[in-house]
Amino acid sequence: MNAESAGPGARDAAPGDTPRERTLGGVYAFCAYFLWGFLPLYFVLLEPTGPWELVAWRIVFSLVFCVLLLSVTRSWGRLARIVRQPRLLGLTALAGGLIYVNWQVFIIGALTGHVIETSLGYFINPIATVLLGVLVLHERLRITQWIAIGLAAGAVIVIIVGYGSFPWIALTLAASFSLYGLVKKRVGPTVDAVSGLTLESAWLMPVAAVLLTVVGMTTGLTLGTAGTLHTVLLVGVGAVTAVPLLFFAAGARRVPLTVIGLLQFVAPILQFLIGVWVLQEPMPVERWIGFALVWVALAVLTVDSLVNARRRGVSDVAELT
């Protein structure tokens, strides 16, 4: 994937150095979020498989897919280097725990008629990430960022009071994924996407074994019992999990974070549209008001990020001249 040197003594073209690479990176990132946006529909197609069995097979087949990918690309050496570093192993275990919570809650939401609420979680996620920067990293926020956080908090209150239910799915998704992002940031570029998902899935194999055992002893496993197409789709959850992640990794290394920040809204927008128009989930006035407040908060946060990024760019140019 890396650009080759143009010749002896020439500087290697790093990803993102050329317009073509930046364009390609944007396409990769868009593909990742586009595929993530349609995940609820994929999971709905897997009925009668329940959420507990589904997340277990997602863990198992993600690991199988990653092992095959490591073998085809001959990347076992990178994985071995990570395994020899206890700190990185510990962080991948923590990341595995957080992504399990995220996967489980997302699948529960998708299969129980709460796709709109899952979209709310990923709309809130950027705001949760900013708040996490204050609570964990002790970052200082600009006034516009505080306004965005306040609007998001107001949205949650409106939904609780007006709609009459606590949006636990949305808040759990936002919290787990923002914490997962923080852990991945701590890991850094040392752990590539495939190796990271391989280790996270491997750490979760005992969880998958327990889930499959319990489901098998109670309601019964559905793999291989609901037709060939269902079996193929269920086995395919490994690829469905890994492919968008690989697209995202390829895109993130080629484009600025501001581009990623704008594209990340593609997935929740698609999930929201699927919940409202395809799955016909209820959308009362109170929920519309709550979502509207979140969208205003995201607009404030996005504009603030773009303005701040432009100022930093001007400052960087001034330092170089």
Side-chain angles (χ1 to χ4, degrees):
M1 300 288 284
N2 292 329
E4 295 180 358
S5 175
R11 185 177 68 86
D12 288 346
D17 276 359
T18 66
R20 180 182 179 279
E21 283 292 314
R22 289 192 292 272
T23 301
L24 192 61
V27 171
Y28 284 146
F30 176 82
C31 288
Y33 286 114
F34 185 79
L35 292 174
W36 279 327
F38 282 96
L39 269 185
L41 279 182
Y42 189 92
F43 292 148
V44 168
L45 290 174
L46 292 173
E47 293 181 343
T49 304
W52 305 101
E53 181 186 358
L54 179 50
V55 80
W57 288 127
R58 189 177 188 185
I59 293 167
V60 171
F61 292 125
S62 292
L63 180 59
V64 171
F65 184 84
C66 287
V67 167
L68 291 174
L69 201 57
L70 286 171
S71 301
V72 170
T73 59
R74 299 179 181 179
S75 302
W76 287 102
R78 288 186 298 185
L79 184 66
R81 287 192 292 272
I82 297 168
V83 170
R84 289 194 291 266
Q85 302 180 59
R87 174 182 170 275
L88 290 181
L89 271 183
L91 288 172
T92 58
L94 179 57
L98 290 168
I99 204 61
Y100 165 71
V101 172
N102 188 269
W103 286 356
Q104 187 69 80
V105 172
F106 183 86
I107 290 174
I108 289 174
L111 297 184
T112 58
H114 292 87
V115 171
I116 291 175
E117 191 173 336
T118 66
S119 75
L120 178 62
Y122 291 110
F123 277 126
I124 294 175
N125 179 66
I127 301 169
T129 301
V130 171
L131 185 59
L132 199 61
V134 177
L135 299 177
V136 178
L137 304 178
H138 307 292
E139 296 177 352
R140 297 184 64 181
L141 298 187
R142 297 179 292 277
I143 184 63
T144 47
Q145 292 174 313
W146 279 116
I147 291 172
I149 291 174
L151 287 169
V156 172
I157 293 171
V158 167
I159 290 172
I160 293 173
V161 175
Y163 191 56
S165 64
F166 186 79
W168 71 271
I169 291 175
L171 295 180
T172 303
L173 289 175
S176 60
F177 202 70
S178 58
L179 286 168
Y180 177 74
L182 178 64
V183 173
K184 297 292 276 187
K185 184 177 180 180
R186 295 289 189 185
V187 170
T190 310
V191 179
D192 61 281
V194 179
S195 298
L197 184 59
T198 302
L199 290 170
E200 290 161 20
S201 301
W203 283 116
L204 293 177
M205 283 300 290
V207 176
V210 171
L211 290 173
L212 291 175
T213 300
V214 172
V215 172
M217 294 174 62
T218 52
T219 58
L221 299 175
T222 61
L223 180 65
T225 66
T228 303
L229 178 60
H230 178 272
T231 301
V232 171
L233 290 174
L234 192 52
V235 172
V237 295
V240 166
T241 298
V243 169
L245 182 66
L246 297 177
F247 272 129
F248 177 78
R253 57 195 286 266
R254 287 174 166 84
V255 295
L257 285 177
T258 49
V259 175
I260 296 295
L262 292 173
L263 289 174
Q264 70 180 324
F265 299 126
V266 170
I269 287 172
L270 288 172
Q271 291 167 12
F272 176 80
L273 294 176
I274 287 170
V276 173
W277 288 341
V278 179
L279 302 179
Q280 299 290 306
E281 292 184 9
M283 195 66 185
V285 175
E286 297 84 359
R287 183 172 271 190
W288 277 112
I289 294 172
F291 268 83
L293 286 172
V294 170
W295 291 333
V296 172
L298 290 174
V300 171
L301 195 64
T302 301
V303 171
D304 174 80
S305 298
L306 292 173
V307 170
N308 191 58
R310 179 172 293 181
R311 286 174 180 169
R312 284 201 309 268
V314 171
S315 176
D316 292 342
V317 170
E319 290 176 4
L320 292 172
T321 55

